[in-house]
Amino acid sequence: MKQFEGKKLLILGSNTMAPEIVEYAKENGAYTIVTDYLPIEKSNAKKIADEVLNISTADTDKLVLFCRENNVNGVFAGISEFNLLQAYEISRQLGLRFYFDMEQWCQIEKKDQFRDLCSKNNVNAPQKYFSGTEKEYELFNNGCLTFPVVIKPVDGSSSQGVTICNDKKTLQLAVKNAFGVSVTKKIIIEQFVYGYEFTAHYVICNGKAALSCVDNRYPVSIHEGNVTTIPIARVYPALFQDLYEREINAQILALCESVGLKNAVLFVQGIFNENERKFYIFEAGLRSAGEAPCRFIERITDQNHFFMLLDYILLGKTNYDLQKEQPKLGGKCCATISFAAKGGIVGNIIGVDSVIKEIPQIVQFENRYPVGSETPNGDTLRQLMLRFVIISESREELASIVELLNKKIQVEDVQGNNMVVTMDPWRVFGLV
């Protein structure tokens, strides 16, 4: 008998990792249902599900009623923060198991609460100047700030509402913008730390945490000026991986375990200051980051943390083995390489299919904006358009692959102009 035999699973949304969740659940005997507003032809998850719904993932009442009437045993989602929170809320109302509760979510996801968690666990973080509401900000003496500073909504994601300020002139506009984006109407102002950004993923299994991977983040600016950068590439393992594991990993492990999670995935984002040889952790997420590194990790360790979470949701237990984690990826060099859109209507995408056939190291590909769709014109993660998940033998091989991608792929707007920013292949050998 398959482990999910007789279980019904509702998956919210069709985004990254949703198809893999459906496939894994079906292989293990579950009856799968996918819901969102997308038609079947535009949803890879719906194409393979046993049943599809067109109920919005935001319609909590309808989804709770559906689950009750159809004896659904578990609710889950891919990487979408909104859909994960909806899956939690539906599960809570139905009395179903989920991998976090709201207190745990806020401790990790709310930037002010996470900063307090860092302090309690001796995790080094940028200096915090202010966190609070608009009324509290009115009483705040911004003369105490040492520029540059970073202003963020405490509950933001995808870099929305984040501004780096070098003077008081830009501060007030940035503060207003951050408050406008924040759902809870709270912001945080902190020290801007110079250095190299990274993300570290952790897996928590039966209450114990283990490091899964650490990347080097390679930023680009879509627009000129003092704008938020976005990662055109993430390359694993990080060039400073050994130092990270020696200097800060133990504190992050303790932080992960302090929240009381039983089975979960968590990532932290930080800055490595090369001159100080020091790591600063500034925020985190109680979920997989958008690049979903499990897409290559599974091919190295034969384990996927999304499947671990689903095991826990449907069964209350998992066979996931932390001893199999390989933060150095068995000597491989893995990456998520992106083409970032400048903004406009996509007119033509040339060369993708032939490149995927030509390069076996590409293990997955996604296109968020097909021909005819309109890409945003901003400075957030929503600019990321084409994404290639790559497993290579070395950084040298990875650089050659990136060079080939840049040479053979063209993305044009409806006027025939190039509409993407790409990764310089030789950046992979350094930190910038």
Side-chain angles (χ1 to χ4, degrees), residues 8-299:
K8 286 187 177 180
L9 174 70
L10 176 65
I11 299 101
L12 305 185
S14 303
N15 56 21
T16 302
M17 291 309 299
E20 289 86 349
I21 292 168
V22 173
E23 193 173 321
Y24 175 74
K26 288 184 69 174
E27 285 174 357
N28 286 276
Y31 181 84
T32 57
I33 309 155
V34 176
T35 189
D36 60 18
Y37 61 86
L38 290 176
I40 292 177
E41 61 271 18
K42 292 188 176 181
S43 167
N44 290 331
K46 283 186 172 181
K47 287 175 185 175
I48 59 174
D50 296 300
E51 183 178 345
V52 299
L53 304 176
N54 290 318
I55 302 173
S56 167
T57 61
D59 197 334
T60 310
D61 292 341
K62 274 190 182 179
L63 291 172
V64 168
L65 180 61
F66 174 86
C67 290
R68 283 203 175 107
E69 291 178 343
N70 291 273
N71 299 311
V72 168
N73 303 102
V75 187
F76 197 30
I79 63 167
S80 164
E81 183 177 285
F82 176 82
N83 286 341
L84 281 170
L85 280 171
Q86 285 296 96
Y88 158 75
E89 177 56 23
I90 294 164
S91 300
R92 186 192 67 79
Q93 291 193 32
L94 294 167
L96 299 175
R97 191 182 301 107
F98 206 67
Y99 77 89
F100 62 77
D101 62 31
M102 190 48 61
E103 182 180 355
Q104 291 165 334
W105 176 269
C106 290
Q107 281 186 281
I108 300 297
E109 291 274 345
K110 304 298 184 188
K111 294 175 179 62
D112 51 348
Q113 292 190 40
F114 178 69
R115 185 55 54 84
D116 293 338
L117 197 62
C118 286
S119 180
K120 290 176 185 175
N121 288 278
N122 299 311
V123 173
N124 192 50
Q127 181 181 347
K128 181 177 73 174
Y129 295 113
F130 170 82
S131 69
T133 64
E134 291 184 80
K135 285 188 177 180
E136 289 169 326
Y137 181 74
E138 290 173 4
L139 302 174
F140 172 67
N141 174 21
N142 60 30
C144 70
L145 300 178
T146 301
F147 290 96
V149 298
V150 182
I151 290 90
K152 307 174 184 179
V154 301
D155 48 3
S157 63
S158 301
S159 300
Q160 292 185 86
V162 179
T163 310
I164 301 165
C165 295
N166 290 306
D167 51 52
K168 289 185 178 180
K169 184 178 179 180
T170 57
L171 180 69
Q172 294 309 317
L173 184 60
V175 165
K176 183 179 179 181
N177 182 38
F179 275 126
V181 170
S182 175
V183 175
T184 57
K185 300 304 176 187
K186 293 178 71 178
I187 67 167
I188 185 168
I189 303 176
E190 63 187 19
Q191 168 195 15
F192 177 75
V193 178
Y194 292 96
Y196 309 107
E197 282 196 45
F198 64 89
T199 300
H201 270 78
Y202 287 82
V203 178
I204 301 166
C205 184
N206 297 319
K208 297 295 292 181
L211 176 64
S212 185
C213 62
V214 186
D215 68 27
N216 287 125
R217 177 188 188 271
Y218 293 91
V220 294
S221 298
I222 302 297
H223 299 95
E224 294 183 1
N226 196 28
V227 296
T228 305
T229 60
I230 61 172
I232 199 73
R234 294 186 183 272
V235 180
Y236 312 73
L239 290 168
F240 41 67
Q241 178 98 15
D242 289 338
L243 186 64
Y244 178 91
E245 293 189 37
R246 285 198 309 270
E247 296 295 322
I248 198 169
N249 186 49
Q251 294 95 306
I252 304 294
L253 289 171
L255 182 152
C256 292
E257 293 174 5
S258 73
V259 182
L261 295 156
K262 189 171 182 183
N263 295 285
V265 60
L266 185 156
F267 70 86
V268 299
Q269 290 182 276
I271 297 281
F272 171 60
N273 185 293
E274 191 174 23
N275 293 331
E276 298 177 357
R277 306 292 286 173
K278 198 171 183 179
F279 296 91
Y280 293 82
I281 303 298
F282 58 82
E283 61 186 65
L286 188 42
R287 53 193 168 86
S288 171
E291 59 273 12
C294 62
R295 293 184 285 185
F296 57 77
I297 291 173
E298 183 184 2
R299 296 166 190 263

Side-chain angles (χ1 to χ4, degrees), residues 296-304 320 324-326:
F296 57 77
I297 291 173
E298 183 184 2
R299 296 166 190 263
I300 295 169
T301 67
D302 199 32
Q303 296 192 124
N304 187 310
Y320 198 92
K324 291 185 178 180
E325 291 300 309
Q326 296 187 49

